[in-house]
Amino acid sequence: MMIENPYYGQDGHGSYELRSIGDLQLEEGGIIRDCRLAVATFGALNAAGDNAVLVPTWYSGTSKIIEQAYIGRGRALDPDRYFIIVINQIGNGLSTSPHNTPMPGGQGHFPRVRIGDDVRAQHRLLTEQFGIDTLALVVGASMGAQQTYEWVVRFPDMVRRAAPIAGTAKTTMHNFLLVETLMDAIRSDLGFANGFYKSATEVREGLLRHAKMWAVMGWSTEFFASFRPAQLGFTSLDDFVVNFMFGYFMPMDPNDLLCMAWKWQHGDVSRHTGGDLAAALGRIKAKMYVLPMSHDMIFPPADCERECKLVPNAKFHVLSSIDGHLALFGTDPDFLGQLDGCLKELLATD
Amino acid sequence: MMIENPYYGQDGHGSYELRSIGDLQLEEGGIIRDCRLAVATFGALNAAGDNAVLVPTWYSGTSKIIEQAYIGRGRALDPDRYFIIVINQIGNGLSTSPHNTPMPGGQGHFPRVRIGDDVRAQHRLLTEQFGIDTLALVVGASMGAQQTYEWVVRFPDMVRRAAPIAGTAKTTMHNFLLVETLMDAIRSDLGFANGFYKSATEVREGLLRHAKMWAVMGWSTEFFASFRPAQLGFTSLDDFVVNFMFGYFMPMDPNDLLCMAWKWQHGDVSRHTGGDLAAALGRIKAKMYVLPMSHDMIFPPADCERECKLVPNAKFHVLSSIDGHLALFGTDPDFLGQLDGCLKELLATD
């Protein structure tokens, strides 16, 4: 059976289009039959075909938050100027995911997916169905940054500019462990039943633990010290943890989250070069802005800076926000302003 | 029954002396009958009675690690010059703790203990049994720093110098949440059985999750990026997580850890001043060195600096180590050297 989950769908996350790219052979050996990608587009491809911008999604995110927080007239991602294609990553609940794949291949049997699988799937979609052979920009945050790095290393001739925000090309050991603890929070719930629960509500305790850990790592100590939860409308720490953090994750599917988490853990562009990260990043031809966030506990600036030094044509710039990693939600308008400034500058380069 | 646990005892953590201070009425309303504090002393009280140094212990730590990593001839804490008294905190497994308290008051029924209870117990011991009425220095790290702050706010006339290392006077909201996730890791194990397990091994999964989370928060991303686990003798991330982190926590008692964790969460010297932290810290008469650690994810320097500014006679100095919070274990000799330098300077002040 598939898991009925009203959270995922056009009502909450539309509009998007479901596009099949056929069967997708996976790097880990499995296969996704009739792989469907949920795609939201804004604007139109110009006659020269050189104004396409690809935005891959982050852990737990969908095209909706990208649309709401990052796309708009006058913004860097302006649909009047660019053909903006937001592709939901495999496993995010809109595209093919454990919860919407029929048994026996769904739920706990869903195959392992890598960042490289997403990028190959996106490449197939863009080239075969949209007729796109050049991307003016690939920009993504967090797991979207992982996909951005994979794009410029795997298809260096297709991407003119790239902006990985708050994410890495190769998951660090520390980050790997951090994600492991997030996965443990869910898997340790007996209701998880190795992925064969009947409803996500059976994994409520695990999802709550997972949400609390995101409350710790996703924001920052300065965020709490500066009364940001109150400013966002929450009256106490409990109110914030339950009604913001748990409220966000509670309706999601545990297997979908774990599919993305495993993918996140194993992000590594140096798979293309026998483990040599410098060689992999040396392949990049895109003009790149590496954009970490000042108070990010998940992808600290230092991790991003080490990688940036290995990219031939890259600028390193730290976006400032005490909101930490989850400023990505759009909680800090000043952060969005800084980011727009960087992306406009990057888009203005040849 | 009491829980048999060979980890705690003179073999692994001696030598120390168990001293009863009688019944201890607790701030949360409970009582510890025949409260015993495990005390290790080094050196002797001088004739003037002015060379006593108190060292309270951190979460999961005992007097043994203090002895091994911080006390020695030529060190700042030199037993030839000072009478050094290391008092194990209530709940740490050597002093009165959930696991060594007979039922019905032990295990999951052990009462809630606050930092203030520890400090009142220590004060009683020092004044009534050691005849000490002045302390040349109180120095403690992490939860030891919490006790250090409590000492100088509660007994301002008794402490001449104080050095809280990598800890706070009032637990921040972020830190509270972080500790909550550590507690969740243990309590979510069905084997925990609300604190009424028959053996700590029944809580193995929970203790493993707790150890993994310490691996993430206790060190730093730079620690892993710089191959510090390999330098410490571990051949892989798994080896490090299992044989260092889990090896460290596995033999401990879950209720003992939770007793300390709750105490840590609720540390707050502003209880003395109706919630006014500035007023509480304004009481301090000791010369104080506030010493956070550069890469500490648990007590980031910014949290310590905010408090330091409220202390009348305090110097703020960040100790540098990529090992993060758990440099406290003594893994980084350079960190120990920096700390000794600071403490010697502080001890040389009038």
Side-chain angles (χ1 to χ4, degrees), chain B residues 62-84:
Chain B
T62 73
S63 44
K64 197 66 194 171
I65 182 75
I66 304 294
E67 175 188 348
Q68 290 175 331
Y70 296 91
I71 296 174
R73 190 167 289 176
R75 302 287 304 273
L77 304 185
D78 186 337
D80 286 350
R81 301 188 58 184
Y82 299 103
F83 180 45
I84 303 157

Side-chain angles (χ1 to χ4, degrees), chain A residues 173-174 176-178 180 184 188 190 209 212-213 215-217 221-222 224-225 237 241 297 302-303 306, chain B residues 173-174 176-178 180-181 184 188 190 209 212 215-217 221-222 224-225 237 241 297 302-303 306:
Chain A
M173 216 178 270
H174 186 255
F176 181 97
L177 259 183
L178 188 161
E180 186 80 8
D184 281 350
S188 60
L190 280 195
R209 286 197 291 276
K212 280 191 197 174
M213 291 164 69
V216 173
M217 301 303 295
T221 185
E222 288 81 1
F224 291 101
L237 186 59
V241 167
M297 297 182 73
D303 287 344
R306 268 191 298 278
Chain B
M173 216 177 271
H174 186 255
F176 181 96
L177 259 183
L178 187 161
E180 185 79 8
T181 63
D184 281 351
S188 59
L190 281 195
R209 286 197 291 277
K212 280 191 198 176
V216 174
M217 302 301 295
T221 186
E222 287 81 1
F224 292 101
L237 185 60
V241 167
M297 296 182 73
D303 287 345
R306 268 192 298 278

Side-chain angles (χ1 to χ4, degrees), chain B residues 33-81:
Chain B
R33 294 182 174 80
D34 184 30
C35 181
R36 285 160 301 159
L37 296 181
V39 187
T41 64
F42 306 88
L45 195 62
N46 62 12
D50 64 0
N51 72 333
V53 171
L54 171 67
V55 189
T57 61
W58 58 66
Y59 180 75
S60 82
T62 73
S63 44
K64 197 66 194 171
I65 182 75
I66 304 294
E67 175 188 348
Q68 290 175 331
Y70 296 91
I71 296 174
R73 190 167 289 176
R75 302 287 304 273
L77 304 185
D78 186 337
D80 286 350
R81 301 188 58 184

